[in-house]
């Protein structure tokens, strides 16, 4: 008697994806689960076991795709960055700095992962992975810098430097506007509420100041 393909796959839990299409689909399933968990919980509170459970996989099966938590979330970040760049390109020509700020605000997963990229995610990479990831960052950043150049008429190196300053502002604004829960409670009432800030208006103000300096500088 021939077994049902679906039943065969589910027997004893989800089996290893066999074809390249299956592997890609399984990988996207894992990335979706990881992104969903990260949207609700802090990175430090997540484990691979959590992601495996949300993916419907065993932890051993998850390790066949991602060898540690950092590599997994680097992959989540890469997907988020690619989506951000595609979104920005679809809206070209950009109105600076408003469209740049708007695209960042519209992609909170990219923003939140950017904030921990250098202090958490990259710490788990080996030399080969780090070099490949930096190459990815360079390529995606160059795509955005090209859009900035088209909108501003500034030289490529100046546009890239402006983008890096925007990224630095993004990281700082995200941290300042997303404090730990205990700090958030402490700042709930005057006079400590002076330290509270909302991400979007804070980011927009920083990018506007950076853009003003960028446009008034010499070519």
């Amino acid at each position: 008697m021939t077994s049902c393909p679906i039943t065969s796959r589910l027997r004893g839990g989800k089996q290893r994806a066999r074809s390249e299409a299956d592997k890609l689909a399984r990988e996207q399933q894992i990335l979706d689960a990881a992104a969903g968990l990260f949207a609700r919980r802090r990175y430090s509170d997540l484990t691979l076991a959590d992601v495996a459970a949300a993916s419907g996989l065993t932890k051993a099966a998850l390790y066949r795709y991602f060898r540690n938590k950092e590599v997994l979330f680097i992959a989540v970040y890469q997907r988020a960055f690619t989506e951000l760049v595609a979104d920005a390109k679809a809206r070209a020509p950009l109105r600076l700095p408003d469209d740049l700020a708007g695209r960042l605000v519209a992609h909170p997963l990219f923003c939140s992962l950017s904030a921990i990229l250098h202090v958490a995610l990259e710490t788990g990479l080996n030399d080969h992975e780090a070099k490949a990831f930096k190459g990815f960052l360079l390529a995606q950043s160059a795509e955005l810098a090209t859009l900035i150049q088209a909108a501003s008429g500034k030289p490529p190196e100046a546009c890239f430097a402006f983008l890096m300053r925007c990224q630095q502002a993004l990281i700082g604004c995200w941290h300042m506007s997303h404090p730990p829960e205990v700090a958030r409670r402490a700042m709930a009432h005057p006079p400590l509420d002076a330290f509270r800030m909302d991400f979007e208006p804070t980011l927009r103000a920083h990018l506007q100041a950076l853009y003003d300096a960028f446009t008034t500088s010499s070519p």
Side-chain angles (χ1 to χ4, degrees):
M1 181 177 182
T2 304
S3 61
C4 171
I6 296 178
T7 303
S8 297
R9 263 185 203 180
L10 295 179
R11 186 173 58 242
K14 294 187 177 179
Q15 294 184 347
R16 184 181 304 187
R18 298 186 183 281
S19 71
E20 282 303 313
D22 285 343
K23 290 177 182 178
L24 289 174
R26 184 65 54 80
E27 184 175 299
Q28 293 304 309
Q29 174 187 342
I30 295 168
L31 296 180
D32 288 342
L37 286 172
F38 187 69
R40 302 188 299 274
R41 294 164 59 180
R42 286 183 175 270
Y43 175 78
S44 57
D45 296 332
L46 291 175
T47 67
L48 283 183
D50 296 326
V51 178
S55 305
L57 303 171
T58 65
K59 190 175 178 180
L62 183 61
Y63 271 119
R64 288 197 285 267
Y65 292 87
F66 302 99
R67 65 178 183 82
N68 60 31
K69 187 170 78 165
E70 292 84 4
V71 171
L72 168 58
F73 276 89
I74 284 290
V76 175
Y77 179 86
Q78 288 178 300
R79 189 173 71 167
F81 199 174
T82 301
E83 291 171 353
L84 168 67
V85 172
D87 187 5
K89 291 171 71 173
R91 294 170 184 270
L94 299 180
R95 293 177 299 108
L96 296 174
D98 289 344
D99 283 348
L100 180 58
R103 290 310 87 218
L104 291 171
V105 170
H107 292 265
L109 180 61
F110 170 80
C111 296
S112 56
L113 287 172
S114 292
I116 63 170
L117 180 62
H118 307 294
V119 297
L121 302 189
E122 289 186 325
T123 60
L125 303 183
N126 59 38
D127 289 347
H128 174 74
E129 291 163 343
K131 185 175 181 179
F133 179 57
K134 288 300 185 182
F136 165 84
L137 291 179
L138 182 62
Q140 295 300 309
S141 297
E143 294 271 8
L144 288 178
T146 297
L147 297 178
I148 292 170
Q149 183 184 11
S152 67
K154 290 283 188 173
E157 60 274 14
C159 294
F160 192 87
F162 168 68
L163 180 62
M164 291 300 99
R165 295 187 187 102
C166 291
Q167 179 76 349
Q168 293 156 16
L170 162 66
I171 292 170
C173 291
W174 187 270
H175 279 300
M176 293 293 289
S177 59
H178 293 80
E181 186 57 36
V182 62
R184 187 185 301 276
R185 291 196 300 269
M187 297 185 296
H189 304 289
L192 299 182
D193 63 341
F195 294 112
R196 288 167 51 189
M197 59 181 63
D198 294 326
F199 176 65
E200 181 172 356
T202 303
L203 178 66
R204 287 185 180 277
H206 277 275
L207 295 195
Q208 183 65 60
L210 288 171
Y211 185 69
D212 290 344
F214 172 59
T215 54
T216 56
S217 62
S218 57

